Each structure stands twice: as structure tokens, then as C-alpha cells.
């Protein structure tokens, strides 16, 4: 599921959910230039290969996804 861009004082972001082949759901966030680089590529129900994201502990205040971890993508991430 692809989310909407949100303006922040320290940059901008785009949230979306990743669902793997086992059905595990994680929140993912594109940050700053990654929004421009990968945002147009992402489509709902698309299949992507992603690398160089940073795994972080999920802040449950900002997500409805129940996972304990999230993935943040900025440069030099790749999404194809």
C-alpha cells in the first residue's frame, strides 16, 4: 500500500507498507530524495526488490502496523 507524502520541518517523507511472501507486514518510509527517486515507481500490489534500507525499531505512535520494526529508505537505497 502506498501512502501520501507528508511535509516535515526536517525533510519530507512517504510511508507505505511492505508485505513479504510469508505475509509479514512492515511499515516503510522513503525520506527526502528517495521520495523523488522511488515514489513514482511504487504502485499498489507491485512486486519490488529493495536493498540498503535501514531497519529501525517501530514507533507505534506513528503507525497502525503491528510490527516491532520498520524500514527507512534514503540514499543510497535501491528499489527495482
Amino acid at each position: 500500500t502506498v501512502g501520501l507524502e507528508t511535509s516535515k520541518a526536517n525533510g519530507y517523507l512517504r510511508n507505505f507498507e511492505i508485505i513479504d511472501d510469508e505475509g509479514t507486514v512492515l511499515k516503510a518510509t522513503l525520506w527526502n530524495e528517495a521520495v523523488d527517486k522511488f515514489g513514482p515507481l511504487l504502485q499498489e500490489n507491485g512486486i519490488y526488490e529493495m536493498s540498503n534500507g535501514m531497519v529501525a525499531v517501530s514507533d507505534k505512535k506513528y503507525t497502525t502496523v503491528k510490527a516491532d520494526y520498520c524500514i527507512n529508505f534514503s540514499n543510497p537505497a535501491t528499489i527495482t
Side-chain angles (χ1 to χ4, degrees), residues 27-75:
K27 176 185 169 194
T29 303
L30 300 175
W31 290 95
N32 300 318
E33 293 85 13
V35 173
D36 299 328
K37 185 175 180 181
F38 303 119
L41 171 75
L42 299 174
Q43 300 295 320
E44 189 167 356
N45 299 318
I47 298 173
Y48 304 96
E49 184 173 317
M50 302 174 174
S51 61
N52 297 322
M54 296 288 294
V55 177
V57 175
S58 185
D59 188 338
K60 305 283 172 99
K61 293 184 295 188
Y62 301 107
T63 182
T64 59
V65 176
K66 304 279 189 231
D68 292 329
Y69 298 95
C70 61
I71 304 176
N72 295 302
F73 295 96
S74 57
N75 288 329

